[in-house]
Structure formats: structure tokens, C-alpha cells
Amino acid sequence: MIKLVLCGIVNIDDFLEGDNTSSSPGGNISHVATAFRLLGLNNQETGILCEVGTDYNWHNLFLGFQCDGIFLSNHPCNRVIFSRRGEAVHFDRFVGAPSRRQITLPSSYQSSTRLFIGAIPAPQVSGLLTQYSGLVAVNYSPWWSVTELYEILPKLDLLVVNRAEASALFGEKRAQAICHTLRPFNEGISVIVTKDAEGCEFANALLTVTVPAPSVDCESKYGAGAVFTATFVHSHISNGIVNSLVLATVAASTYVSSARSLLSDSNHLRKLCEYLAPLVEVSVP
């Protein structure tokens, strides 16, 4: 049974190293698929819906995960060029600008399936949400306007923004304050604000949670948000809010560090989670 559907974009990332360039699969879904594979999560429980180009690169982008909807476009794959520090310096989007193709969930998905929406255009998000009744988690996309965000807000269960997005959208960086602002539009909304090396904040109508991040040697922040959100949503199915926030923070921190391979070391993850657990702050509004 599919427990989590990942919907987003995939592309080729080119990293500049002086005069040299290295390439790897990129986009929010590729990052999530890589992290989930290292975490040992069941491939048969995770589906992918995405749109890619039709050049020779597309078949390298799926990393062995089950792909339930691959929409091929008659263009090269998207490419993002990054500096050595992981800062995007150029983005060629060949697959629509933005795409108006409606993504359709297979009828076999049940309401218990979680839907994680990454960086896809707002019209595609709206199309998905008209046919879906399960838990929906969204990483805010810079492709959306504030108006488009508020239009889909009533159908969201979880909105994830980073600190810069929170400040730009709401003039506020605290999850509890943002949740209070959004509650008139969606009484049941939960909000997570990710804070890079400082961890994250979670808030809904019932509680506020602050989770610090473990100290790591960060190589690049790219991919951290998608890995965090998808891990939280997947874990939340059975492990509750606080434990899932801790695991998601550990997974994202490890994913962007020089020790990414340790995601497959369950003892390492368990020790980090045990270390962070006493540092978590939980309060009731």
C-alpha cells in the first residue's frame, strides 16, 4: 500500500568546482528519494508523481523508486547550476514555464495516503487538491504568489517554510505566530519553520515544539527542506509529532553534511535522536 506520495520536480544539478563541473540528480523529489533510500524506508510504500524532460538524462533521475506518474515532456531535463557552496546561480526550466499539465492521483490511493507537494506550480497544486482528501504537506514554492498560497491554504494540513520565506510572506519568523495568522483561513493548519543549523519550530492549535539541530559539517543546504518535510510526514504516520520532528531534523542535518552516508546507519540516527530528545521544548499555547 502506498503510504506517501511525493509530488514535485526532478532535474540535473551541475556543481561548479573551479574549472570543473560535476552533475547529479536534483530537485526536491530526487533528494527525498536519495534520503529515503539511505534511511532504508520501504520503496513500495512511496510513490512519485513528477514531470521530466525526454533527453538521455531522465532515466537517471529516479534512483530505483516506484514512479506512479512520469509525465514526459519533449524538452531536455531541467538543469540547475550551483556554486561550490550550494548556491543556485542559474536555472534552465525546459519543462513548462510553468507547466499547466494537471497531475492526477491514481484511483488506488486511499485517504490514509499522505501527499507531500514540493516545488510545482500553483495550478498543479490546485488540481491535485481538488481530488485529494488525505493529509497534505506542502513546502512553500517561490513559484507561488501569496494570493495562490492563501487560495490553497484551506486544503492544507501542514505548511513548511524556511525562516526567510516566513519573514517575506508573513513578516514573522515564529511558527506559533504564523499559525495564529493562518487559523482564520484554516483552523486545523500546522506550521513548521525550518531554521537551518538552529533546527525547527512546529505549531498548531494544540502545541508548540522547538527542536534544535545537531552540529554537523554542512556541505550544502540544498535538499534539506524537502528531506525534512518528507521524513516528518512519513514518520508522522506512526511516530507522533515530537518524535517525527526530531527524526526529520536529524535526517535533514545528516543529509546535507559530509556524513550523508550515515543516514543508512540506524544506530547513528538513534543516538542523535536520543541526544536531541531532552533538548526539545514543548509548550501548550
Side-chain angles (χ1 to χ4, degrees), residues 18 74 87 95 199 253 256:
N74 293 320
E87 300 161 340
V95 185
S253 297
V256 300

mmCIF file of all heavy atoms in Angstrom, residues 18 74 87 95 199 253 256:
data_model
loop_
_atom_site.group_PDB
_atom_site.id
_atom_site.type_symbol
_atom_site.label_atom_id
_atom_site.label_comp_id
_atom_site.label_asym_id
_atom_site.label_seq_id
_atom_site.Cartn_x
_atom_site.Cartn_y
_atom_site.Cartn_z
ATOM 1 N N GLY A 18 35.659 25.212 -9.466
ATOM 2 C CA GLY A 18 36.709 25.855 -10.239
ATOM 3 C C GLY A 18 36.374 25.778 -11.713
ATOM 4 O O GLY A 18 35.335 26.249 -12.165
ATOM 5 N N ASN A 74 8.601 16.985 -24.214
ATOM 6 C CA ASN A 74 9.548 16.958 -25.334
ATOM 7 C C ASN A 74 10.574 18.075 -25.235
ATOM 8 O O ASN A 74 10.704 18.935 -26.098
ATOM 9 C CB ASN A 74 8.790 17.051 -26.663
ATOM 10 C CG ASN A 74 7.945 15.825 -26.917
ATOM 11 O OD1 ASN A 74 8.387 14.713 -26.634
ATOM 12 N ND2 ASN A 74 6.753 16.016 -27.440
ATOM 13 N N GLU A 87 24.922 27.268 -3.715
ATOM 14 C CA GLU A 87 24.030 28.373 -4.026
ATOM 15 C C GLU A 87 23.661 28.316 -5.508
ATOM 16 O O GLU A 87 24.521 28.225 -6.369
ATOM 17 C CB GLU A 87 24.718 29.710 -3.711
ATOM 18 C CG GLU A 87 25.128 29.845 -2.251
ATOM 19 C CD GLU A 87 26.184 30.917 -2.044
ATOM 20 O OE1 GLU A 87 26.853 31.261 -3.033
ATOM 21 O OE2 GLU A 87 26.327 31.380 -0.901
ATOM 22 N N VAL A 95 10.823 22.217 -18.844
ATOM 23 C CA VAL A 95 9.551 21.504 -18.777
ATOM 24 C C VAL A 95 8.450 22.462 -18.336
ATOM 25 O O VAL A 95 8.091 22.554 -17.184
ATOM 26 C CB VAL A 95 9.650 20.315 -17.789
ATOM 27 C CG1 VAL A 95 8.368 19.500 -17.818
ATOM 28 C CG2 VAL A 95 10.837 19.444 -18.157
ATOM 29 N N GLY A 199 17.748 24.339 13.789
ATOM 30 C CA GLY A 199 16.685 23.357 13.949
ATOM 31 C C GLY A 199 15.372 23.824 13.359
ATOM 32 O O GLY A 199 15.331 24.388 12.268
ATOM 33 N N SER A 253 19.736 17.198 8.681
ATOM 34 C CA SER A 253 21.088 17.627 9.062
ATOM 35 C C SER A 253 22.137 16.661 8.531
ATOM 36 O O SER A 253 23.192 17.075 8.035
ATOM 37 C CB SER A 253 21.194 17.737 10.587
ATOM 38 O OG SER A 253 20.314 18.712 11.084
ATOM 39 N N VAL A 256 22.643 16.870 4.540
ATOM 40 C CA VAL A 256 23.410 17.978 3.969
ATOM 41 C C VAL A 256 24.853 18.011 4.481
ATOM 42 O O VAL A 256 25.619 18.903 4.126
ATOM 43 C CB VAL A 256 22.751 19.341 4.275
ATOM 44 C CG1 VAL A 256 21.353 19.386 3.699
ATOM 45 C CG2 VAL A 256 22.721 19.628 5.773
#
